[in-house]
Amino acid sequence: MSLDTVVKAQDDSKDRGWLQDGPVGAHTFGQPYTELGLKDDEYQRIVTILDRRPTSSELAMYSVMWSEHCSYKSSKVHLRQFGEKAPASDAMLVGIGENAGVVDVGQGYAVTFKVESHNHPSYVEPYQGAATGIGGIVRDILAMGARPVAVMDPLRFGAADHPDTRRVLPGVVSGIGGYGNCLGLPNIGGEVVFDPCYQGNPLVNALCVGVMKHEDIHLAKASGTGNLVILYGARTGGDGIGGVSVLASETFDADGPAKRPAVQVGDPFQEKLLIECTLEVFAEDLVTGIQDLGGAGLSCATSELASAGSGGMRVDLDKVPLRDATLAPEEILMSESQERMCAIVEPGKVERFLEICAKWDVIATVIGEVTDGDRLEIFWHGEQIVDVPPRTVAHEGPVYERPIARPAWQDALQADGSEQLPRPRTGDELRAALLAVTGSPNLADKSWITDQYDRYVLGNTVLAQPEDAGMIRVDEETNLGVAVSTDGNGRFCKLDPYTGAQLALAEAYRNVATTGARPLAVTDCLNFGSPEDPGVMWQFAEACRGLADACQVLGTPVTGGNVSFYNQTGEIAIHPTPVVGVLGVIDDVTRRTPIGFREEGQIILLLGDTREELSGSVWADVVHNHLGGLPPKVDLERERLLAEVLIAGSRDGMVDAAHDLADGGLAQALVEACLRGGNGARIVLPEELDPFVALFSESAGRAVVAVPRSEELRFTDMCRVRHLPVARIGVVDGDALEIQGQFTVGLDELKAANSAPLRGLFA
Amino acid sequence: MTARIGVVTFPGSLDDRDAQRAVRIAGAEPVALWHGDSSLHGVDGVVLPGGFSYGDYLRCGAISRFSPVMETIISEAQGGLPVLGICNGFQILCESHLLPGALTRNDHLHFICRDQRLRIETSDTAWTSSYEAGQEIVVPLKNGEGGYVADERTLDMLEAEGRVVARYLELNPNGSRRDIAGISNAAGNVVGLMPHPEHAVEPLTGPTTDGLGFFTSVLKKLVGA
């Protein structure tokens, strides 16, 4: 049964309003709740809450708001620890639960940032799915009172050479560009990862950063009896109905019905007007509460605003401006039409509010008011169609303790370490391995993708991809800035989700620190398979626990994020893929440290310990197509120490380049630093290490830095005083990467290998 | 007295703040102009900034061209007011017939953002007098519909009259005829440019500061005059 049929069937029943049934037991009243994604017990719970048969509109609201996507019903019990274990942080101004977390970055500025998924829509319709993913996260940031200043996109696709990747990737990339470029937001980073596990379930995550003054923070709550509810932005259409319940909260069937109508369609021009209009409204202090309309549309906005406020709201649904006059009230409540916001405005300020909307050609309509009751009441041409306690819709949905079981295959997987695989021994073999690794799609130059994004607009981009983190200047007078990096490694998480999640955090944290910024806070997008699979739930629980524990040690609280379950086609789930975004602050962006070796003669130092850690590595993947063993060890205290050294090195002007070591190990870090800076390097590997291990191990807690000769002693003394291992491994020189005693590769050859894969496959 | 340079904001303009910053760094006073206000508020020159005015709907620049502010700008430009159209601004100038030709979808069909090498072909315009003819500069380029086209006669005329202001070097990023990155009107006061000099005015945020010359050029002309 399609959604259209469901809604039509409800139309025909002619009972949008009240039924005369009294208190009821376990009846279903023939309502199509299963088709709307509700389980039997969930439906019964609604009947119990209301003590009667829900109206079709109420059923529509509960079904979308109690969907996995909106209610976090399977994840809530695990997500709680992000709050419970949160390290004490003076920086946190607004925590989990609002549209996005807000962090104090000093000088009266606050920064809000969040990463979200738009995975399912992007597989069904890559362009619009990815485009509206940007639109949604930007409105979340805007709703906090901030001007959005940058976006980033962590992306994961199936095998680079798979035919369907050629359908999905170009569509996703042009959707992100088409929407983000038109909004005027610089795209400053992200990730592009290929793995067959994402073939039927690509991950399209989107992060947005916004900046405001402390006093500009706005919250999503409806308070003040008599205040008016204003819906503004685009007209409501029939797109995206059931997006959260049907698309994002179910597993894809191999041959199920087409789900394209459940994907929203974006209009970035409308969103740009909405941004400017909203910021002007904020500047004149015209709103008491605000919420964007995203997943679950008006159902979500009205119930959340009312639930977080005093509790009562009355809405006349027939006042909602429509794109399609034939829409039924249930459809209006469920529609996920984009580019809409809902504001709570005092009566005396409504006129000015509407004037500003008119200036920006934004349609604004008073659709209701805050009442002194505790019910959300919705009317349709005078007839009451909804009468519910808003908390039961928005905040008191079902919570599940899903069964958890460590997968039976986990032990065998962990026993099959990549350390046992045949290794390159000679210089020629090492050279071939380096070219294979650096020429693999995952480590290849991503400029074919990132050149489709505007990284310059707004004029405050200090660092953008392929740097370790994106960096934005916040204040043009003082040079205060923020840096953001996102990282995730599904392969490590598959081997051990607890450690894998910590490695993702450690890498993002390190990436922020290499630029010279001090990591402050975390956002996460937790991409997993079906929560109804106990093995997946175990992965999820372990990843959450790992992340929460690590945030505690690093002193970086999780400020918000998003869970995406059901990234699974049939029985095959994706690798567990928590994507972690870290935000840092830098007092003076002119002190930022880029990754490239820009000056010949500078000394190259390796910081941290290299162990024989090859399981889950890029080398094991590219050369042996192997995944097994245990991921690299995490030492969070070491990560803290490394970050302190990198930040001090930047602040005191000792370091001219710094690059973190992660995928592809030292070998890839050197390739990237050389290519970025346009200079070669002569490297002498540490004697105590096997050359192969030195080059390709992916031990965490490491970075390479280039320091001027005059600063070498000061820098290495600082490392020794702080007990951070430091080894001089070479010098920036020439136009080749030379590993002395092993091999030499010219920069031209490296560049050719590194830039070939993506342009070859997609250009 | 400092020159006052207006920067127009249309619905969907994106680089208006950047253009204002560039004007300020060049030493002039930026003045925000609004598309719905036909007054230019006494400015000495105008920048039409980049962006996606009206979402590029219908055709890039086709709707903005009819805004009240453009009516005034068209008539003042014909009287010699210096006008620089960058990217979407260039598209608006072509739609307004202040400049000949049109900008079409990039030949490779993708949006492209890159640091672009250009050769300034003439210093005889209001916006390029700070450069030497033949000077090479690097400024950001970012467009989806930046392919400059005109009929052969028009192209020949532009070349013959020295109205090709800048040309792409090393790589033609969008399929522009004869590698044309920017042109001027016959009087040299109106210039349309596809690349973005306003993104190359600070060493911190731009690939170079090569773009500043466009803004100091107009200042020199105005203060000198």
Side-chain angles (χ1 to χ4, degrees):
Chain A
M1 198 177 192
S2 78
L3 263 169
D4 286 348
T5 347
V6 173
V7 176
K8 288 288 181 309
Q10 291 172 333
D11 267 359
D12 294 344
S13 70
K14 290 182 187 148
D15 63 347
R16 267 188 214 123
W18 304 112
L19 261 197
Q20 297 308 310
D21 299 303
V24 285
H27 292 299
T28 65
F29 304 107
Q31 289 191 303
Y33 62 87
T34 313
E35 289 82 348
L36 291 166
L38 288 166
K39 307 279 191 250
D40 291 341
D41 54 337
E42 292 172 345
Y43 177 76
Q44 289 309 327
R45 188 166 157 180
I46 297 168
V47 172
T48 307
I49 288 170
L50 299 176
D51 200 21
R52 58 174 165 77
R53 175 195 197 273
T55 66
S56 52
S57 293
E58 289 166 345
L59 190 63
M61 288 184 79
Y62 278 105
S63 73
V64 286
M65 290 302 292
W66 286 12
S67 67
E68 185 64 58
H69 184 86
C70 289
S71 71
Y72 294 86
K73 57 192 170 190
S74 303
S75 55
K76 227 174 208 171
V77 295
H78 302 284
L79 299 178
R80 279 185 192 135
Q81 53 192 320
F82 292 135
E84 290 161 4
K85 293 182 187 171
S89 166
D90 299 339
M92 189 98 127
L93 297 175
V94 175
I96 299 171
E98 281 292 334
N99 281 310
V102 182
V103 179
D104 178 14
V105 296
Q107 299 178 14
Y109 285 103
V111 168
T112 176
F113 75 126
K114 186 170 142 182
V115 60
E116 246 186 17
S117 63
H118 231 219
N119 302 340
H120 296 83
S122 301
Y123 179 67
V124 175
E125 212 297 271
Y127 185 97
Q128 293 296 346
T132 54
I134 296 273
I137 191 68
V138 166
R139 285 193 305 281
D140 272 346
I141 295 306
L142 179 63
M144 296 308 299
R147 172 175 281 281
V149 295
V151 292
M152 296 175 97
D153 285 278
L155 306 175
R156 283 167 176 77
F157 301 100
D161 56 0
H162 190 285
D164 199 46
T165 305
R166 285 191 67 94
R167 171 186 73 95
V168 177
L169 183 144
V172 164
V173 170
S174 52
I176 291 167
Y179 203 99
N181 295 342
C182 190
L183 276 191
L185 293 179
N187 192 313
I188 57 170
E191 305 162 84
V192 181
V193 177
F194 300 96
D195 192 292
C197 78
Y198 306 112
Q199 200 66 63
N201 296 90
L203 303 184
V204 176
N205 297 174
L207 180 146
C208 182
V209 190
V211 174
M212 68 196 122
K213 288 287 194 175
H214 284 194
E215 58 270 24
D216 293 334
I217 297 174
H218 282 76
L219 301 177
K221 64 177 186 182
S223 51
T225 302
N227 284 347
L228 297 170
V229 181
I230 299 182
L231 178 67
Y232 67 110
R235 291 171 181 273
T236 299
D239 56 325
I241 291 178
V244 292
S245 50
V246 179
L247 263 191
S249 301
E250 273 182 54
T251 301
F252 284 139
D253 297 325
D255 48 14
K259 289 177 172 171
R260 201 162 294 117
V263 180
Q264 315 89 326
V265 178
D267 176 358
F269 172 59
Q270 179 69 241
E271 179 117 332
K272 170 66 179 170
L273 299 183
L274 201 58
I275 292 174
E276 298 302 332
C277 168
T278 302
L279 290 171
E280 207 165 312
V281 162
F282 286 152
E284 295 194 20
D285 195 21
L286 299 179
V287 300
T288 60
I290 190 157
Q291 169 76 300
D292 72 301
L293 273 69
L298 265 175
S299 296
C300 180
T302 54
S303 64
E304 286 194 354
L305 279 165
S307 173
S310 46
M313 185 185 287
R314 179 200 156 103
V315 171
D316 291 311
L317 200 60
D318 46 283
K319 293 194 175 151
V320 171
L322 300 179
R323 223 180 280 165
D324 171 0
T326 68
L327 288 182
E330 298 85 352
E331 294 173 303
I332 298 169
L333 283 168
M334 293 171 81
S335 164
E336 295 184 5
S337 286
Q338 298 291 289
E339 295 94 25
R340 299 180 296 162
M341 306 274 287
C342 196
I344 306 299
V345 182
E346 290 171 22
K349 293 179 173 175
V350 168
E351 192 185 339
R352 181 63 191 144
F353 185 101
L354 297 178
E355 265 175 29
I356 291 174
C357 289
K359 173 187 165 188
W360 288 100
D361 295 325
V362 168
I363 299 170
T365 315
V366 176
I367 61 164
E369 63 176 359
V370 178
T371 61
D372 57 4
D374 56 1
R375 310 288 285 189
L376 172 59
E377 300 175 275
I378 300 180
F379 292 80
W380 179 249
H381 296 293
E383 185 184 9
Q384 188 162 21
I385 56 170
V386 170
D387 180 9
V388 295
R391 286 201 67 81
T392 65
V393 181
H395 293 111
E396 289 167 0
V399 175
Y400 294 136
E401 291 262 8
R402 299 269 192 199
I404 287 176
R406 188 169 189 267
W409 44 259
Q410 198 77 36
D411 284 337
L413 182 71
Q414 292 184 346
D416 177 27
S418 303
E419 288 75 14
Q420 322 300 326
L421 299 169
R423 303 170 172 193
R425 287 292 171 200
T426 67
D428 282 348
E429 287 171 0
L430 285 167
R431 186 181 194 278
L434 174 86
L435 286 169
V437 163
T438 202
S440 65
N442 279 335
L443 297 191
D445 165 36
K446 304 295 191 304
S447 60
W448 183 81
I449 291 170
T450 55
D451 281 357
Q452 296 184 49
Y453 307 147
D454 183 350
R455 60 183 175 274
Y456 282 111
V457 63
L458 299 181
N460 286 313
T461 305
V462 178
L463 295 174
Q465 62 276 352
E467 296 290 338
D468 277 349
M471 186 180 287
I472 292 288
R473 176 175 60 185
V474 168
D475 188 304
E476 294 188 32
E477 301 298 317
T478 67
N479 283 326
L480 176 73
V482 294
V484 187
S485 177
T486 70
D487 288 289
N489 188 319
R491 285 166 57 82
F492 289 161
C493 289
K494 173 100 176 193
L495 299 179
D496 177 353
Y498 180 89
T499 307
Q502 297 198 331
L503 284 165
L505 171 66
E507 188 181 347
Y509 179 93
R510 202 185 313 133
N511 275 325
V512 165
T514 52
T515 67
R518 184 162 45 85
L520 275 187
V522 168
T523 179
D524 56 16
C525 190
L526 306 171
N527 305 280
F528 287 78
S530 167
E532 295 162 44
D533 176 338
V536 169
M537 267 326 276
W538 174 80
Q539 293 173 330
F540 182 76
E542 284 294 288
C544 288
R545 193 169 64 84
L547 192 54
D549 288 351
C551 284
Q552 206 167 23
V553 179
L554 293 178
T556 50
V558 175
T559 60
N562 156 254
V563 177
S564 175
F565 278 132
Y566 296 100
N567 294 290
Q568 176 157 342
T569 300
E571 294 298 302
I572 309 298
I574 59 163
H575 290 339
T577 312
V579 170
V580 180
V582 170
L583 177 121
V585 63
I586 180 165
D587 293 335
D588 181 358
V589 289
T590 64
R591 293 283 188 183
R592 85 283 187 204
T593 312
I595 65 169
F597 292 154
R598 290 167 303 165
E599 292 224 10
E600 290 210 350
Q602 293 199 336
I603 303 301
I604 302 170
L605 304 170
L606 173 63
L607 311 180
D609 286 308
T610 304
R611 290 175 291 270
E612 188 172 325
E613 294 180 310
L614 295 146
S615 292
S617 67
V618 175
W619 170 79
D621 182 30
V622 170
V623 176
H624 294 283
N625 190 24
H626 182 266
L627 178 59
L630 288 168
K633 186 168 157 283
V634 181
D635 179 345
L636 296 167
E637 290 300 342
R638 171 57 63 78
E639 298 286 355
R640 272 180 93 111
L641 175 61
L642 176 66
E644 281 170 20
V645 165
L646 290 164
I647 295 162
S650 150
R651 187 192 53 223
D652 298 341
M654 288 185 268
V655 175
D656 270 23
H659 193 7
D660 96 302
L661 267 59
D663 310 59
L666 176 64
Q668 179 67 11
L670 291 171
V671 168
E672 289 171 354
C674 285
L675 292 179
R676 182 72 172 156
N679 285 302
R682 268 186 293 125
I683 301 295
V684 182
L685 295 175
E687 271 179 20
E688 67 277 14
L689 286 175
D690 169 67
F692 164 73
V693 171
L695 286 170
F696 295 101
S697 166
E698 296 187 8
S699 295
R702 299 184 299 160
V704 283
V705 299
V707 299
R709 283 175 192 274
S710 57
E711 300 295 333
E712 184 188 3
L713 194 60
R714 190 155 74 109
F715 185 81
T716 52
D717 276 354
M718 174 175 72
C719 293
R720 287 195 187 98
V721 168
R722 299 186 186 212
H723 305 293
L724 178 68
V726 54
R728 180 179 182 165
I729 60 166
V731 60
V732 179
D733 186 36
D735 52 8
L737 175 59
E738 179 188 356
I739 309 295
Q740 286 193 351
Q742 301 295 337
F743 63 86
T744 300
V745 196
L747 290 195
D748 289 346
E749 189 177 355
L750 280 177
K751 192 177 168 72
N754 188 243
S755 59
L758 264 61
R759 289 185 192 274
L761 286 164
F762 301 107
Chain B
M1 196 195 83
T2 321
R4 300 171 75 243
I5 305 294
V7 177
V8 181
T9 299
F10 299 96
S13 291
L14 304 179
D15 301 313
D16 42 350
R17 287 179 196 79
D18 303 67
Q20 289 176 15
R21 183 189 297 112
V23 165
R24 194 164 48 242
I25 291 174
E29 180 193 339
V31 178
L33 301 177
W34 181 244
H35 70 104
D37 178 357
S38 58
S39 168
L40 298 187
H41 298 277
V43 297
D44 305 303
V46 168
V47 178
L48 304 179
F52 291 73
S53 64
Y54 291 98
D56 276 357
Y57 297 147
L58 187 57
R59 266 191 331 271
C60 305
I63 302 175
S64 297
R65 171 250 181 281
F66 291 102
S67 61
V69 78
M70 280 310 296
E71 284 181 27
T72 317
I73 288 173
I74 290 168
S75 87
E76 296 279 318
Q78 284 157 353
L81 179 78
V83 178
L84 173 65
I86 303 169
C87 196
N88 190 223
F90 187 8
Q91 293 161 340
I92 294 169
L93 290 175
C94 288
E95 288 287 340
S96 308
H97 305 297
L98 283 172
L99 294 175
L103 284 310
T104 57
R105 185 134 188 235
N106 295 350
D107 56 353
H108 47 80
L109 306 182
H110 296 292
F111 186 95
I112 184 166
C113 175
R114 70 189 306 269
D115 299 339
Q116 179 71 44
R117 182 169 292 273
L118 305 174
R119 185 172 57 235
I120 300 294
E121 299 285 23
T122 171
S123 55
D124 296 338
T125 78
W127 299 91
T128 54
S129 60
S130 292
Y131 298 101
E132 306 277 329
Q135 186 177 341
E136 293 187 10
I137 65 170
V138 174
V139 299
L141 168 122
K142 43 173 213 181
N143 64 65
E145 307 199 19
Y148 181 73
V149 296
D151 59 65
E152 288 299 315
R153 262 183 61 191
T154 305
L155 293 170
D156 289 342
M157 176 193 72
L158 289 171
E159 307 256 18
E161 294 179 5
R163 290 166 56 188
V164 174
V165 171
R167 240 186 269 268
Y168 298 117
L169 295 180
E170 292 171 1
L171 180 145
N172 181 333
N174 45 31
S176 288
R177 298 292 160 83
R178 305 192 190 180
D179 300 331
I180 288 173
I183 58 171
S184 74
N185 65 350
N189 62 311
V190 178
V191 167
L193 191 68
M194 196 34 67
H196 288 260
E198 81 282 17
H199 291 321
V201 295
E202 289 184 280
L204 183 69
T205 53
T208 64
T209 54
D210 293 351
L212 203 53
F214 284 88
F215 304 93
T216 55
S217 295
V218 72
L219 198 59
K220 212 163 65 179
K221 176 187 164 70
L222 292 168
V223 174

